[in-house]
Amino acid sequence: MNYRHSYHAGNFADVMKHVVLVALIDALRRKPAPFSVLDTHAGIGLYDLSGREAQSTGEWRDGIGRLLDAPADPAAPPCIGEWLEIVRATIAAHEGRLFYPGSPAIVASMLRPGDTLTCCELHPEDQRSLRRLFRHNPAVSIHGRNGYEAITGLLPPKQAKRGLVLMDPPFEQKDEFHALAKAIITARQRFGTGVIAAWYPIKHRAPTHAFHNALKDAGQRNLLALELTLRPPLDPTRLNGSGLLIANPPFRFEQTARAILTTLCLHLGDDGTQANVEWIVPE
Ligand code: SAM
């Protein structure tokens, strides 16, 4: 396990994923019944962007760096402002130092009384950091387990009938797309009403098409793909874009998703940046 998210935290892909995450939690919060979130690949939850790892790549500068400096945009969907508030509150809580909240910290900040978050993190060191971060928060539980394997045991959630599963694997393994497709299918078999958000890299087209087709061929329905590409995905050695596959998206989520990606394109993109929201399989 060589992947460390601290090198990439706050980059354009994190921004896209985290804004969409806020929009999905907003949709769950529209109803009073409690919800549960399962974060299968949680990371450490909090990233010091002034630290050695983040500084060595500087990826955050073209992600959160661009949004923090941007003037407020009244046309932007509300979830972008909500996410920025969470980021700014995190920075304020660290006396102005550039700390960036990862997915577990974002979700934890949005839980209401009765809502819960369950995290899986396999890396022993990252798992310890995550436990330390949430040691005083009884709504959050941490499992030092393989997030894919844990799906069978942790779904459906015991605490609530509604919820979200975030799958954000590091794509270190050659067969990660295959593992992700399998995990989505298993998660839906066990938690049919749950919303699933699965992140995937867009380097070149063949693997992302194969991923979508594998889900289609398995008879999966109600699949929306959100994609932001910084440049045409032609060079398989570069992260050219970021994708999120949403299974069972909330009602009319494609409109929210389009508004999010259109705004993010303006901030994160240069010439050649494209946003696409597409039903891979409709309901
Ligand atoms: N979701 C996090 C966020 O948005 O802040 C970032 C997660 S990072 C992309 C992927 C994480 O998954 C890494 O911290 C890595 O150690 C962990 N990991 C890798 N394989 C795993 C597995 N099979 N099960 C659980 N965690 C795993």
Side-chain angles (χ1 to χ4, degrees), residues 1 3-5 14 17-18 21 39-45 47 100-104 120-123 126 143 145-149 166-170 172 176 199:
M1 294 186 70
Y3 181 89
R4 310 315 298 273
H5 196 62
D14 254 13
K17 174 177 62 195
H18 292 155
L21 178 62
D39 191 340
T40 60
H41 296 71
I44 62 174
Y47 299 90
Y100 180 78
S103 53
C120 297
E121 172 52 55
L122 200 52
H123 196 292
D126 290 1
H143 296 255
R145 318 174 46 180
N146 183 323
Y148 291 134
E149 289 169 14
L166 173 67
M167 301 182 187
D168 184 19
E172 271 186 315
E176 197 90 64
W199 183 83

Side-chain angles (χ1 to χ4, degrees), residues 2-280:
N2 293 320
Y3 181 89
R4 310 315 298 273
H5 196 62
S6 36
Y7 288 91
H8 311 291
N11 70 2
F12 81 99
D14 254 13
V15 169
M16 176 205 176
K17 174 177 62 195
H18 292 155
V19 172
V20 172
L21 178 62
V22 168
L24 291 171
I25 304 279
D26 273 346
L28 286 167
R29 280 161 48 122
R30 258 174 234 135
K31 288 189 186 156
F35 63 82
S36 256
V37 177
L38 171 61
D39 191 340
T40 60
H41 296 71
I44 62 174
L46 187 62
Y47 299 90
D48 180 1
L49 299 184
S50 59
R52 186 185 55 79
E53 291 97 335
Q55 287 295 324
S56 71
T57 63
E59 286 184 22
W60 64 271
R61 291 180 195 280
D62 284 329
I64 180 61
R66 292 197 185 188
L67 272 292
L68 275 178
D69 294 342
D73 175 0
C79 55
I80 296 186
E82 286 170 53
W83 163 76
L84 273 170
E85 260 175 49
I86 296 170
V87 176
R88 290 200 171 107
T90 305
I91 294 171
H94 291 85
E95 289 149 1
R97 283 181 63 193
L98 209 51
F99 273 78
Y100 180 78
S103 53
I106 292 170
V107 174
S109 76
M110 296 182 77
L111 298 178
R112 308 160 303 176
D115 301 331
T116 53
L117 166 64
T118 303
C119 299
C120 297
E121 172 52 55
L122 200 52
H123 196 292
E125 215 175 289
D126 290 1
Q127 200 189 108
R128 275 195 294 277
S129 306
L130 198 58
R131 282 187 203 284
R132 245 193 329 271
L133 184 64
F134 292 115
R135 65 191 179 283
H136 300 306
N137 190 339
V140 181
S141 48
I142 316 287
H143 296 255
R145 318 174 46 180
N146 183 323
Y148 291 134
E149 289 169 14
I151 284 171
T152 319
L154 296 174
L155 293 178
K158 289 189 188 68
Q159 307 87 338
K161 292 196 172 68
R162 312 184 304 129
L164 166 71
V165 182
L166 173 67
M167 301 182 187
D168 184 19
F171 279 83
E172 271 186 315
Q173 309 293 336
K174 260 202 150 110
D175 65 347
E176 197 90 64
F177 270 112
H178 174 72
L180 186 57
K182 213 169 124 208
I184 292 169
I185 294 166
T186 307
R188 295 185 90 189
Q189 280 164 349
R190 303 200 53 87
F191 186 30
T193 57
V195 178
I196 295 168
W199 183 83
Y200 58 92
I202 304 174
K203 293 185 171 179
H204 62 134
R205 274 294 165 208
T208 65
H209 285 154
F211 172 55
H212 293 166
N213 287 337
L215 290 166
K216 252 194 241 180
D217 294 347
Q220 295 288 304
R221 303 198 62 78
N222 207 4
L223 296 174
L224 188 69
L226 282 47
E227 297 191 342
L228 184 76
T229 46
L230 297 181
R231 57 192 88 84
L234 300 173
D235 179 352
T237 64
R238 293 184 78 186
L239 184 65
N240 298 306
S242 165
L244 271 170
L245 198 281
I246 317 281
N248 299 336
F251 184 55
R252 294 204 177 131
F253 194 71
E254 72 269 32
Q255 291 165 14
T256 308
R258 280 201 182 97
I260 292 172
L261 294 198
T262 304
T263 304
L264 291 185
C265 255
L266 296 175
H267 293 289
L268 301 175
D270 299 310
D271 290 349
T273 300
Q274 284 196 341
N276 194 35
V277 174
E278 187 189 348
W279 285 102
I280 300 303

